[in-house]
Amino acid sequence: MTNKPGKVYLIGAGPGDPGLITLKAKTCIEQADVVVYDYLAAPTLLEFAKKDVQLVYVGKKGGDHTLTQDKINQLLVDKAAQGLQVARLKGGDPFVFGRGAEEAQQLLSAGVAYEVIPGVTSAISAPAYAGIPVTHRDHTAFVSFITGHEDPTKKDSRMQWDIFAKSDATLVFLMGVKNLENIVTNLVSHGKPADTPVALVRWGTTPLQQTVTGTLDTIVEKVRQAKLKSPAVIVVGSVVSLRKELAWFDKKPLFGKKIVITRARAQASGLTAQLTHLGAHCIEIPTIRIQPPQDITQMKDAITRIRDYDWLVFTSVNGVKFFFDTLFDMGMDVRILGHLKFACIGPVTKQRLGDFGIISDILPETFRAESVVNAFSHTDIQGKKVLLPRAKKARTILPEELTKMGAKVDEVTAYETVLDSDNKNTLTSLLEEKQIDAVTFTSSSTVSNFISLLDPDQAPQLLKDVTIASIGPITSDTARSLGLKPSIEADPYTIAGLVDSLVAYFSAAGRP
Ligand code: SAH
């Protein structure tokens, strides 16, 4: 308990694309003590919250309410009464069919302070991502947001079908998929022309977005054929015809592709962000977990004797991270490294080292022997002492080449990669349901761990139609040795190269 008064922020979390959150909402989530959220809010927004935040899921998938509205209202009041800052995240905008107003009224009557942070409503954003502007000067002067949820047998209906049918307004129905036939029948029977264009946009603004277009005459059948379900907005009006010209989101090169990322969770975000930007639906199934070595003494000893070394060589961003973590834990700082020369394999490792204020002297682009030899060719490494902090069980090429050049190399284990099998069942069911188009592998261990998550008898069948994408020849070799057939191999052997190769592959003519 604190004396500070609590407050509830009714926040619009946007329609699904996490990029559509407002800056004000983001700040509010970052500062909240409690985040109360429901089904439609983009789950990644929760990552903005503080580490010790209380997360409360209150559900609302179709009619299946995890908490009733009364209980949600009470929860908000109770948390605020404890002096907590509460972020109440609601899909889209809180005041557009979101019952945000009811929550505000309850807070008001309980004497709890609140603020409203409007959000991007699905009513305009789902059509916009489908290339449908809800207004256009040549088409209509106004737009209506209408509930599609009203019980058709309700006596005192508020639905003014005659007005909807006669006006040239763009009509946007929310919560209306189950009621589509009823909506269409009412519009037509009240005089709306049967050839009026209609679109349904499901999961708008997300990589799972699905759009079905037709006319009042044809849409029910088309939606049935497409098996389109809730949540979707229904747009009725001539502006729908602009989609042919203005569609953009579903034209992204990887739109609709369901791509598995097998990298460790901490490293997946860059690849996920790049692929998502290109329209892919990324499914993170980390197969490796990166952790400090069980025995840290080797690393600590090397750091204690750091003055004995001439070179510090890093082969991965993890090596850099865990080296500096240990150094800082030992109460030292980078000044102790002032006498050293540095080499980093690959530009990303170099960049990570740069984060600590150190510029790498040498940059072999790859692990290949010739690349290492070339990079060191202008350096006298004869008799020099090299410290190589890296993964347990790392490949031997680099120490071998450096030793051949006359260096004295000490390898120390900076981190370990272990199998992450948390998502074993999720992976198997996604493959069984054919919910995966491609799997990306960014190292040999991601491949071997991935395979070990599958039942060996089932694996060939499960992976039959799945595109295998590898970051480079070594990873591809491992994949082949385990019975996989990579169709994509990155060139250059980097994350950016992998992304480009996926785009090239899926953009090739005729690719499903
Ligand atoms: N306050 C929300 C609406 C809540 S009512 C908003 O402003 O968007 C729930 C309805 O919103 C769903 O039945 C569906 O019609 C619509 N909806 C929400 N998110 C959607 C999305 N990403 N794509 C399409 N429709 C969506």
Side-chain angles (χ1 to χ4, degrees), residues 312-378:
L312 189 46
V313 179
F314 291 111
T315 58
S316 70
V317 288
N318 291 316
V320 177
K321 174 188 178 323
F322 285 97
F323 175 85
F324 282 98
D325 281 354
T326 317
L327 183 86
F328 298 150
D329 279 352
M330 290 169 73
M332 299 182 203
D333 64 34
V334 291
R335 285 172 298 177
I336 197 143
L337 310 175
H339 65 291
L340 290 166
K341 285 200 169 272
F342 287 82
C344 286
I345 304 259
V348 184
T349 310
K350 178 181 166 169
Q351 201 180 349
R352 189 77 179 99
L353 181 65
D355 293 342
F356 294 95
I358 296 170
I359 300 171
S360 184
D361 298 280
I362 282 191
L363 181 71
E365 290 285 338
T366 70
F367 276 106
R368 289 170 173 201
E370 59 272 34
S371 171
V372 176
V373 174
N374 277 346
F376 279 93
S377 60
H378 299 296

Side-chain angles (χ1 to χ4, degrees), residues 210-371:
Q210 182 189 3
T211 305
V212 174
T213 53
T215 60
L216 284 174
D217 231 2
T218 61
I219 195 72
V220 171
E221 184 50 31
K222 285 188 156 182
V223 164
R224 191 175 300 139
Q225 275 170 14
K227 299 196 174 81
L228 185 143
K229 303 235 154 50
S230 190
V233 296
I234 304 167
V235 193
V236 182
S238 70
V239 286
V240 168
S241 61
L242 291 164
R243 171 172 159 77
K244 270 197 219 87
E245 187 189 338
L246 297 180
W248 60 276
F249 184 60
D250 31 15
K251 291 199 171 147
K252 288 194 169 216
L254 296 178
F255 177 75
K257 295 286 174 274
K258 301 183 179 89
I259 302 180
V260 170
I261 315 290
T262 55
R263 304 196 91 181
R265 175 87 61 206
Q267 292 185 302
S269 61
L271 179 55
T272 299
Q274 289 183 51
L275 294 176
T276 306
H277 182 68
L278 293 163
H281 171 56
C282 292
I283 307 159
E284 289 187 8
I285 304 213
T287 58
I288 50 184
R289 188 177 294 136
I290 296 166
Q291 56 188 38
Q294 285 197 336
D295 181 8
I296 193 85
T297 49
Q298 206 194 11
M299 205 38 204
K300 285 190 166 167
D301 285 352
I303 292 177
T304 310
R305 290 181 287 98
I306 198 78
R307 297 212 183 277
D308 297 347
Y309 291 99
D310 305 297
W311 279 87
L312 189 46
V313 179
F314 291 111
T315 58
S316 70
V317 288
N318 291 316
V320 177
K321 174 188 178 323
F322 285 97
F323 175 85
F324 282 98
D325 281 354
T326 317
L327 183 86
F328 298 150
D329 279 352
M330 290 169 73
M332 299 182 203
D333 64 34
V334 291
R335 285 172 298 177
I336 197 143
L337 310 175
H339 65 291
L340 290 166
K341 285 200 169 272
F342 287 82
C344 286
I345 304 259
V348 184
T349 310
K350 178 181 166 169
Q351 201 180 349
R352 189 77 179 99
L353 181 65
D355 293 342
F356 294 95
I358 296 170
I359 300 171
S360 184
D361 298 280
I362 282 191
L363 181 71
E365 290 285 338
T366 70
F367 276 106
R368 289 170 173 201
E370 59 272 34
S371 171

